[in-house]
Amino acid sequence: MCGIMGYVGKNDATQVILNGLAKQEYRGYDSAGLALRFDDSIKNIKIVGRVSELKKLVEASDFGGAVPASGMGHTRWATHGGVNVTNAHPHESADGNIVLLHNGIIENAREIRVKLEAEGVVFASDTDTESACQLLAKLYHGGDALPAMTKLCDSLTGAFAFVILIRDRPGEIWCARKGSPLVVAHDGGASYCASDPTALLDYTHDLFFMEEGEIARLTEDGCGFFGFDGSPREKQSIFLQWDSVMADKGHYEHFMRKEIDEQPDVLRLTIEAHTDITSVDMEKTLKLPPGLMSRISRVQFVACGTSYYAALTACNLMESLDDTLNVRADVASEYRYRNIGRGDDTLAIFISQSGETADTLSAARIAKSKGVHRIAITNVRGSTLDREVDHSLLSLAGPEIGVAATKTFTAQVALLSILVLQLLKLRGALSTTDEARLIGGLRSIPTKQQAILARDLDIKALAEKYADSKGFFFIGRRENVPLTLEGALKLKEIAYLPSEAYAAGEMKHGPIAMLDEKLTVVAIVPQNDLREKMLSNVAECRARNAPIILLATDGDDGVKAIGNDVIFVPATEKELFPLLGVVPLQLFAYHVAKTLGRDIDMPRNLAKSVTVE
Ligand code: AGP
C-alpha cells in the first residue's frame, strides 16, 4: 500500500513527482504529500485528499521562483494513525535534519518512540513512520549517510520501503527496502525511485528492482546499492517491455472500463504465447526439472482476492482431469496455518497480479522453507514474487490501474488453464482429446469475449434497472462457483453493495432466508450437464419473490421464462465458461457502480497492491 515517487536530477522535480504520484494513486489515496529540495531548504507540503488537490496546492505555492532539483512524494493508505495532515507523509525529524516517507509497517515503532521520547524527542504524528524518521536523525551525525542508514535498517522490525532526504546532503536521495516494493532507475541525467514500475516508464524501461535488505543512494549521476551491512552491491537492471501508453486512460472515463475492453487482446497474446493450434506448447516458457511432474503427488494453488478465485478455477480444472493428484486452492493468508506438507512431492503455484502481495509472498517463503517446488504467475516482471520463486510465468495483461482486477483475472485463468494442461501432459495424465478440445476452446475465447463486449448497452440497461437492489446473491455450481465469488467481489469493491456468492445447492441450507423482492439473484446457468439442477435452484429463489438475472448460453431461449432478465453469452467448453461469464459480471458491476456515482477506479478503503499482511 502507499505510492512513492522520488527524483534527483537537473529538471524541476515538482512535475516528475506529481506525475509519478498520479500514476500510483491506486496504491493508496487517503492523503498525499511531497517534499521539494531547494538549495538551502526542504519544503514539505501535505494534504488530506487526492493527488489532484496536492497539485493545486503545490502550483499555488510561491517558492520565490526557485526550482527544486530533487524531491519525493507519497500517497497514503493509512495503517497507523488516522487520516489527517500531520499523519500524512513525508515526516520530518524534530531537528529538521531528516525528511522521510515510508510504505510498510514498522512493528517496533512504539518501543523506539518511547525510548526517543524519554531522551526528549518531541513527536508530531501518531504514525509508526515517524519513529524511523526520528531515529535516523539520532543516528546521523553528518557526512556519509550510509552508516546511519545501515544502523536504522538494523534497528527496525516489520516492513519498509523508505525514501529519505537529508538536509545537509543536497543532490542525494536515500532509499531502503525490506518487505515493501521499491524500484529504482537512472536515465543519464537523473535518478528516480517509485513503488510501481509504471510510474517510471515515461523516463526509462531499464529498472533496478530493489531486493530485500538493500539500501540505495541516488544522485543525478547514478544509483549505488548496498546491503544492510553497508557492503556495495552490483545490480543488473531489468528491461520492462510495458509501454507508458498502456497505463493511460485514453478516451475512457475509467481505467476499469478500458481494462475490461482489453481482455480479448490480452487473452490472444497470452494464449498464443503458450499454445499451438491443438496443443499446449510451454517448452520455451517453462523449464521444469526432468521427472518433476511424475514425482508430484500434491498441487497447491495459493493467492488472495481475485487471484484466489483464478486459483480456485485452476484447481477445479486440474482435479477434473487427473484423479490421482491431491489438488487444492488456499487463500495465501491462511496457507501458513496449514500443514502444507514437505519435500519435493509437492508443487505450489502462487498467483499474484502485482507480485507484491505480502500474504502471497509470505506463503511462497513458507513453501520454500519446506522444500516445496514453486511456480508463480504474476503480471509484473521483476516483482518480488517473480524473482523469488523457482519458475515464473507472466500473464501478459499489461499494466492494470483500476483497483478492481479485470483483465488480469482472465489472463490468469487462461494462463493457469494452459499451465494445468502442460503439467498434466508432462505427467502423462492428459488425453489428446481433452488437450485439443480445451486448447481449441481457449483459442476461441477472445472472439467470444468480443461478442459479449458488443452487448454492453444491454448490460448497462440491466445494471441501471437493478442498481437500487439492497443486495445481490450470485449462485452457480462446480467451475462456476469461483465465478460467483468474483462477480460478487466486483460489486462489493466498486459499488459497495452487499453481495454474496454461494454454491447454488447451499442456498436452501440458510441464505435463502434472506431473499425477498429487493434482493436480486444472479444465477449462472450455462447449457451444460448441471443446467437442470441450476434451474431448480433458481425456481426456489423465484418462489421467494427474488428478482432473477440469469447468465445463460446463446440460443437457450427456454430460460427466458424462468428469469426476470437474461444475459446471454456464446457457448464454450464447460470448463472455460468462467472466461466468458466473468465479462458481463464485470460490466454489470461497473455500470451499477457508475449509476450509484461511486469512485470506480479508486474505491474507498482499498488499495491496488496490498503490501501489508
Ligand atoms: C481484486 O479486484 C482486488 N483488487 C484484490 O482482491 C486483489 O485481487 C488481491 O489483493 C490480490 O492481489 P494480487 O493479485 O496483486 O496479489
Side-chain angles (χ1 to χ4, degrees), residues 69 98 112 123 148 220 270 273 295 339 373 391 423 438 523 580 590:
I98 305 292
I112 295 169
F123 277 65
E220 64 177 45
T270 304
R295 288 200 302 277
N339 190 351
H373 206 85
H391 306 279
L423 296 176
L438 289 165
L580 294 184
Y590 172 81

Side-chain angles (χ1 to χ4, degrees), residues 256 302-309 332 351-361 377-380 385 400 402-406 408-409 412 486 489-490 493-494 603 606-611:
M256 182 185 178
V302 187
C304 302
T306 288
S307 298
Y308 170 64
Y309 304 147
I351 304 118
S352 171
Q353 184 282 129
S354 59
E356 301 293 353
T357 299
D359 288 321
T360 310
L361 290 175
I377 287 193
T378 97
N379 194 41
V380 184
L385 189 62
E400 186 176 70
V403 164
T406 52
T408 54
F409 172 73
Q412 286 169 346
E486 177 58 5
L489 180 65
K490 290 294 88 109
E493 280 185 296
I494 60 167
L606 294 180
K608 180 78 180 159
S609 184
V610 185
T611 53

Side-chain angles (χ1 to χ4, degrees), residues 505-566:
E506 275 293 290
M507 280 293 284
K508 55 187 169 301
H509 297 289
I512 202 165
M514 293 176 70
L515 293 190
D516 61 27
E517 63 287 346
K518 291 299 287 173
L519 218 157
T520 301
V521 173
V522 181
I524 319 289
V525 195
Q527 218 162 19
N528 63 19
D529 52 314
L530 300 176
R531 177 180 178 276
E532 303 313 317
K533 274 201 197 309
M534 274 305 302
L535 288 180
S536 303
N537 298 137
V538 170
E540 290 155 12
C541 299
R542 186 120 205 223
R544 272 82 191 171
N545 300 322
I548 312 280
I549 303 174
L550 298 178
L551 194 57
T553 308
D554 273 349
D556 187 5
D557 291 338
V559 299
K560 279 187 184 158
I562 295 159
N564 299 68
D565 285 287
V566 187

